Amino acid sequence: RAGRSTERQCALELPIRCAGSNRRRPGFPVIDGVRARARIACRRGDELLAAVVFDPPGGNLFSAARGCGAHWNGAPMAVTRQAGLDGSFLATGYPFRAHRALDLYLAAFRDIFLSAQAIRRCGSAALDLAYTAAGVYDGFFEFRLSPWDIAAGWLLIEEAGGVVTDLAGDPRGLAGGNVVAGGSAVQRELLATVSRHADEGELARRFAEDGAG
């Protein structure tokens, strides 16, 4: 990570190892074992300006620039128009950095699971957000990520016509690390469901307790 200036900041992460899983969805690569990816995001102040997420095994490059749309291997991409949570295909990640928030996450997961068609975890928030922006997933949610985990995907979602916020519904809530994203209808229902079980304040308190422990 570089660019500590308060005016401009860029985050760069080169490919790392990531758990694979079984995935069956048109347009989504089926890969077992190691998953690698690279992500870059640049911002000025609180505004994200440009983003790139690269999925080497899948051969997929996702990019976006503020006001210029989002692209998948050079072609314009957009979030799905799924009408709501019922029958949706979602992605998530587990709150491994905030064990004391696990009960909140599982309560939200249960309610979402009962409405969704399926929920997948590939192990990379950057890729989950990128594939949501590309219309492969209908939505994504996760707690307590680092800003550099989600900055690139955050802009991809916005430029692909989607909505991405923290649990308070703040579209500039990147710093908190809690994210709910998708097409407008899915994101709205997903946020409402998650918010019945968790909020920004409670997650921050539990995260602090994990650190103290």
Side-chain angles (χ1 to χ4, degrees):
R1 294 180 295 279
R4 297 292 182 177
S5 166
T6 57
E7 291 299 316
R8 296 190 179 187
Q9 185 176 45
C10 290
L12 166 65
E13 180 166 281
L14 298 177
I16 66 170
R17 295 174 64 90
C18 167
S21 63
N22 293 324
R23 296 174 286 275
R24 301 290 187 272
R25 179 74 168 183
F28 193 88
V30 178
I31 301 170
D32 295 321
V34 174
R35 195 75 187 273
R37 78 272 188 268
R39 57 181 183 257
I40 304 171
C42 292
R43 70 180 185 183
R44 181 174 56 227
D46 291 334
E47 183 180 35
L48 291 165
L49 300 178
V52 174
V53 175
F54 182 44
D55 177 12
N60 291 310
L61 178 67
F62 306 91
S63 61
R66 176 67 63 189
C68 297
H71 296 81
W72 182 0
N73 291 335
M77 67 180 185
V79 297
T80 68
R81 297 183 179 180
Q82 170 71 19
L85 272 185
D86 188 27
S88 61
F89 184 70
L90 305 174
T92 189
Y94 310 135
F96 61 92
R97 292 176 182 157
H99 292 172
R100 285 180 172 84
L102 182 60
D103 57 336
L104 304 180
Y105 172 84
L106 291 176
F109 183 94
R110 181 184 184 280
D111 282 358
I112 294 164
F113 179 84
L114 292 175
S115 295
Q117 174 189 347
I119 304 176
R120 296 288 184 265
R121 177 185 182 274
C122 89
S124 166
L127 288 179
D128 286 336
L129 286 165
Y131 281 108
T132 300
V136 176
Y137 292 128
D138 297 310
F140 169 75
F141 70 101
E142 190 168 350
F143 298 164
R144 304 310 300 181
L145 292 157
S146 297
W148 50 86
D149 289 325
I150 55 177
W154 197 286
L155 183 60
L156 289 174
I157 293 287
E158 291 181 335
E159 288 297 314
V163 179
V164 54
T165 71
D166 65 9
L167 301 192
D170 184 358
R172 291 181 176 266
L174 177 69
N178 304 309
V179 57
V180 181
S184 59
V186 170
Q187 197 275 347
R188 182 172 57 251
E189 292 188 15
L190 192 55
L191 178 60
T193 303
V194 172
S195 297
R196 287 202 295 267
H197 303 282
D199 60 54
E200 290 291 324
E202 180 64 13
L203 285 175
R205 184 184 68 79
R206 294 194 183 205
F207 186 67
E209 289 176 353
D210 273 330

